[in-house]
Amino acid sequence: MSQTFSYPHLREFTRSVFIKMGCPPQDAELASEVLLSADLRGIDSHGVARLSGYIRLWEAGRINATPNIRVVHETPSTAVVDGDAGLGLVVAPFAMKVAIEKAAAVGSGWVSVKNSNHFGIAGQHAMMALEKDMIGMAMTNASPLVAPTFATERMLGTNPIAVAIPAKEQPPFVADFATTTAANGKLEILQRKSEEAPVGWIQDKDGHSSTNPHELKSGGALLPLGGDRDHGSHKGYCLGAIVDIFSAVLSGANYGPWAPPFVSFLPLAPDPVGEGLGHFLGAMRVDAFRPADEFKAHMDKWISRFREATPVAGEQVLIPGDPEREMEQERRTSGIPLLDPVVKDLREVAGKFKLDF
């Protein structure tokens, strides 16, 4: 069962919670918008359902509500940002602005981030570049829940990649995907619904395929994109590894099994190799390659032609970003549905901070 709430209501509630945590008003506003962008776009696993997780990390002293986010190293086209243990929801937009500014100056900008936390959905940060006629990229490493192909040990996170590309008359191309078969948040949704996971999402502690959405609690692991070697899991493993290296090895954040867990009850690795979580963000000015209007006109043609591809019976050919864009249009008007366990959780949050929900 679920209940529906308006976007403005959830945004104001979330903003109030972040202020109660001690965030400055402008950071609280930004964090609430970034977090709720996931719910608007139908990525319910990464939205307001995670609010209590941020609170627990803050209570455990792992999130700094008033960080001094700063550039600690840079060249004309690159930078490293230290997030000072701030909310990734605030740190990543700061870093993406740096990337956009560098792209405006020299054609492209690339920023690796250390000492941050979970940053919501990658697509929200990549899309910041669109209004500047730039291509945006965003990725992040995450809690080690994923076993590499042929392994039983959890070494990587779901490590998403997002790319946003502007068009002219057509909506932008926005690809935003985990490098696992499914993100951990989707297992959490299945747990709330008391449903099984599809084959290929997870394995048990011995490396055998499982459909139990609680498998991670018993030592199991998420699987790389592809599910198993016969279906290309080695490619998903490679993608996740690339994200980990760009986001963390490059910046000085914790990588691989040292990445800090999102859940506060799990301890940090006793021998950290860096600081916090890492992100990698980039922006490329389209007119550094060809005139922007010319490029966007050809993107329109690309998108239109792919939409016209002959579909299999009963299906429709989609462009990356279509489902999320359509969902956002619907939810801004009709509201955002939240499962009853999420509503219960948010009401407990409201009680903790003496807020109305």
Side-chain angles (χ1 to χ4, degrees), residues 318-351:
L318 301 173
I319 302 301
D322 280 353
E324 294 85 354
R325 176 177 48 81
E326 292 168 5
M327 182 65 75
E328 180 169 354
Q329 291 171 347
E330 176 185 331
R331 288 188 170 184
R332 281 190 182 275
T333 301
S334 304
I336 296 170
L338 300 178
L339 294 172
D340 286 344
V342 175
V343 174
K344 179 177 180 291
D345 191 38
L346 293 177
R347 285 182 174 147
E348 290 175 357
V349 168

Side-chain angles (χ1 to χ4, degrees), residues 179-181 200 223-237:
T179 54
T180 50
T181 307
L223 293 170
L225 185 62
D228 58 36
R229 178 64 172 78
D230 290 341
H231 294 89
S233 68
H234 56 294
K235 298 176 184 178
Y237 166 32

Side-chain angles (χ1 to χ4, degrees), residues 67-316:
N68 176 25
I69 307 168
R70 62 201 185 279
V71 173
V72 294
H73 178 76
E74 65 180 324
T75 72
S77 63
T78 66
V80 175
V81 165
D82 186 329
D84 196 23
L87 285 164
L89 304 166
V90 175
V91 175
F94 175 97
M96 190 61 183
K97 286 181 181 177
V98 173
I100 290 170
E101 289 168 0
K102 288 184 176 294
V106 298
S108 68
W110 306 97
V111 180
S112 200
V113 180
K114 66 177 180 177
N115 204 6
S116 187
N117 283 283
H118 191 277
F119 76 0
I121 57 170
Q124 180 67 13
H125 309 300
M127 287 190 294
M128 288 175 61
L130 294 174
E131 63 185 51
K132 303 293 186 180
D133 276 350
M134 295 183 187
I135 295 169
M137 296 179 63
M139 55 188 79
T140 183
N141 73 341
S143 311
L145 299 173
V146 183
T149 301
F150 301 141
T152 59
E153 188 177 359
R154 303 195 298 209
M155 299 289 287
L156 291 169
T158 53
N159 294 10
I161 299 171
V163 179
I165 304 173
K168 194 170 186 178
E169 303 298 332
Q170 291 285 349
F173 174 109
V174 182
D176 183 1
F177 57 95
T179 54
T180 50
T181 307
N184 183 45
K186 291 189 176 181
L187 289 183
E188 294 169 351
I189 291 173
L190 293 177
Q191 292 166 15
R192 296 184 191 113
K193 292 181 175 181
S194 298
E195 295 178 359
E196 288 192 338
V199 172
W201 281 24
I202 46 178
Q203 66 181 26
D204 65 20
K205 61 183 178 61
D206 298 315
H208 302 128
S209 179
S210 173
T211 60
N212 177 6
H214 298 274
E215 199 68 70
L216 297 185
K217 300 172 185 176
S218 302
L222 291 173
L223 293 170
L225 185 62
D228 58 36
R229 178 64 172 78
D230 290 341
H231 294 89
S233 68
H234 56 294
K235 298 176 184 178
Y237 166 32
C238 288
L239 286 170
I242 289 168
V243 172
D244 197 42
I245 293 166
F246 279 27
S247 299
V249 180
L250 200 57
S251 68
N254 289 292
Y255 47 81
W258 291 277
F262 180 72
V263 291
S264 60
F265 59 82
L266 290 178
L268 297 171
D271 54 343
V273 292
E275 298 176 84
L277 277 184
H279 318 313
F280 186 78
L281 303 112
M284 295 185 291
R285 214 173 67 208
V286 167
D287 67 2
F289 298 88
R290 68 187 299 188
D293 282 347
E294 182 179 291
F295 170 83
K296 291 193 293 183
H298 278 281
M299 277 303 300
D300 281 356
K301 180 171 288 190
W302 189 99
I303 290 169
S304 298
R305 181 62 185 91
F306 273 74
R307 286 195 199 284
E308 295 165 359
T310 305
V312 299
E315 298 292 346
Q316 176 186 359

